[in-house]
Amino acid sequence: MSDTVRPFHLSIPQAQLDDLQARLERTRWPDCETVTDACQGPQLAKIEALVRRWINGYDWRRCERMLNAFGQYHTQIDGLDIHFLHIRSPNPDAIPLLLTHGWPGSVLEFRDVVKPLTDPAAHGGSAGDAFHLVIPSLPGFGFSGKPATTGWHVGRIAGAWVTLMHRLGYARWAAQGGDWGAAITTALGYMAPESLIGIHLNMAMFHPTEQERAAADADEQSMLDDAQRYEQEFSGYYKLQSTRPQSVAFSLADSPAGLAAWIYALFQDVSDNDGDVEAVFELDHLIDDIMLYWLPNTGASAARLYWETMQSMRQGGMPSAPMTTPAGISMFPHEQIRLSKRWAERRFAKLVHFNQLPRGGHFAALEQPEAFVQEVRASFRFARG
């Protein structure tokens, strides 16, 4: 049956890992950058060190065991196999929470928040703050199916997520997201299915009006400056994947070192790392994430989400009226696209939580897991009995 939820056990054939090892050992390296910082992109020495670790010492089977222990499943929605993690809380009254990742992330973005969210009593919280977690891989990402035709844009994915939560038997649930996960969660908020009780965002995709720009205070002007810097310095990947994703697809599919550098660049550019990526993200954790693109060969299909969404935006973007679904927003200071509370209040009619955090960037759940958990808990306390 197409609506069957099937357990999924991950066991990558050793031949695939051997092929990866051989490719890594045959890497043909580019010339070194001509600057002393990362303004030209990932530095040669950084990617060489990552590849050395990948060849000597990295253990994929450790990651595989972790994913299998979480509980993995497949189900077909709208003709496409969707992979997801489903972790139930020991508290039967927990709120079901849909967590959606972005690019170049994966379901592993939430690896450090699973236990505190599902079992808060064992992690410094109250049992009453518990969540059941549903963490899907976006279409074309990880171990979800790859769309073979056009049309899998943000709105269609949001509709698929409603189907997924209904199929799992959840009549009342919440949603959270950053990056593409924020876009999909925002679309869910505007769709406002009866079962959705609220959303939480750690990134808000919006465009300030000319009046808001003109009246910006010092904090808001800093947000505008960061957004402009992102557009000018960091958004090259976005523009390429939005317009010609197939141009980079061949490199992402054929070269593990090339895929690693393409992914590493964003972890470098938009996290709160003070110039030292490995001080924020364990190198093995970065490689784990890269593996969820390399092993299923999803570099190209993931990149096409940008193109798909750009096509759909030409048909019309998000509604202009304020969202009526209850919303919580957490702004981490090194997220490049941020908004102030007064800007948020004009766009979210029921803003149940808003906070600006002292540390953290684009990958909030990975960079600041404790703060992320506290923000999610605070955002949905309004819905507790």
Side-chain angles (χ1 to χ4, degrees):
M1 298 280 296
S2 63
D3 60 355
T4 300
V5 174
R6 311 181 306 276
F8 172 67
H9 182 82
L10 187 57
S11 181
I12 298 298
Q14 185 60 40
Q16 288 191 34
L17 302 181
D18 293 342
D19 174 74
L20 169 61
Q21 183 89 355
R23 288 170 181 266
L24 289 169
E25 291 172 348
R26 294 198 309 269
T27 299
R28 186 171 75 161
W29 295 102
D31 295 341
C32 184
E33 62 277 357
T34 57
V35 293
T36 58
D37 58 17
C39 70
Q40 292 182 351
Q43 295 168 297
L44 177 62
K46 292 288 189 179
I47 304 304
E48 284 181 327
L50 185 151
V51 168
R52 282 196 302 271
R53 175 63 183 179
W54 209 348
I55 294 172
N56 298 303
Y58 173 75
D59 180 11
W60 161 252
R61 299 301 184 191
R62 167 198 49 79
C63 183
E64 197 172 69
R65 288 191 297 271
M66 178 182 65
L67 287 167
N68 286 330
F70 280 144
Q72 302 185 92
Y73 301 87
H74 269 156
T75 193
Q76 189 179 110
I77 300 176
D78 201 3
L80 196 71
D81 253 9
I82 299 298
H83 165 264
F84 63 98
L85 309 180
H86 189 194
I87 307 110
R88 289 188 60 84
S89 169
N91 181 352
D93 296 323
I95 291 176
L97 177 62
L98 175 71
L99 298 172
T100 306
H101 68 85
W103 185 93
S106 65
V107 296
L108 292 173
E109 284 186 39
F110 305 106
R111 62 194 302 160
D112 295 327
V113 303
V114 165
K115 291 182 179 179
L117 288 174
T118 56
D119 193 4
H123 295 83
S126 167
D129 282 330
F131 296 92
H132 303 305
L133 300 182
V134 179
I135 312 176
S137 294
L138 294 171
F141 287 68
F143 296 99
S144 280
K146 303 173 194 176
T149 59
T150 60
W152 275 98
H153 48 70
V154 162
R156 187 172 178 182
I157 297 170
W161 283 186
V162 175
T163 299
L164 175 62
M165 297 305 282
H166 175 75
R167 188 168 296 173
L168 294 176
Y170 292 130
R172 181 176 179 269
W173 51 276
Q176 194 285 329
D179 194 81
W180 283 122
I184 293 160
T185 302
T186 300
L188 284 167
Y190 279 118
M191 289 168 60
E194 186 178 352
S195 52
L196 181 64
I197 60 177
I199 67 169
H200 174 261
L201 306 172
N202 58 276
M203 178 183 181
M205 295 185 175
F206 83 108
H207 294 286
T209 65
E210 288 303 318
Q211 292 84 353
E212 286 172 329
R213 289 178 178 274
D217 61 25
D219 190 37
E220 291 167 338
Q221 186 58 52
S222 177
M223 296 176 185
L224 295 174
D225 292 343
D226 283 347
Q228 184 177 22
R229 184 185 180 208
Y230 166 80
E231 171 66 22
Q232 293 177 344
E233 297 182 26
F234 302 145
S235 66
Y237 74 94
Y238 188 103
K239 293 170 183 175
L240 189 153
Q241 295 186 160
S242 295
T243 57
R244 293 295 187 274
Q246 207 67 9
S247 298
V248 74
F250 301 93
S251 300
L252 300 181
D254 188 60
S255 170
L259 174 69
W262 191 246
I263 289 174
Y264 187 97
L266 203 65
F267 280 98
Q268 166 188 276
D269 290 343
V270 298
S271 64
D272 187 1
N273 62 57
D274 295 324
D276 185 2
V277 177
E278 285 84 4
V280 178
F281 309 104
E282 290 186 31
L283 197 54
D284 281 6
H285 290 184
L286 289 175
I287 298 173
D288 288 343
D289 184 71
I290 295 164
M291 288 289 271
L292 263 62
Y293 289 83
W294 177 260
L295 292 173
N297 193 13
T298 55
S301 53
R304 281 195 289 270
L305 176 57
Y306 287 79
W307 186 91
E308 289 286 359
T309 300
M310 188 62 65
Q311 304 307 305
S312 69
M313 287 177 63
R314 290 172 181 160
Q315 309 299 319
M318 294 289 186
S320 58
M323 182 192 297
T324 58
T325 297
I329 297 176
S330 303
M331 289 288 95
F332 290 80
H334 280 258
E335 173 57 69
Q336 300 299 300
I337 309 297
R338 307 190 304 283
L339 78 171
S340 66
K341 185 175 182 180
R342 66 171 177 169
W343 288 348
E345 288 172 337
R346 295 167 187 166
R347 293 164 173 84
F348 299 88
K350 297 178 182 177
L351 190 64
V352 296
H353 176 78
F354 185 93
N355 192 22
Q356 292 181 258
L357 285 298
R359 294 284 298 176
H362 186 71
F363 303 95
L366 277 177
E367 296 179 52
Q368 297 291 327
E370 292 183 8
F372 178 89
V373 167
Q374 293 297 335
E375 290 297 296
V376 171
R377 289 174 181 170
S379 292
F380 297 112
R381 286 201 176 110
F382 79 92
R384 305 285 181 179

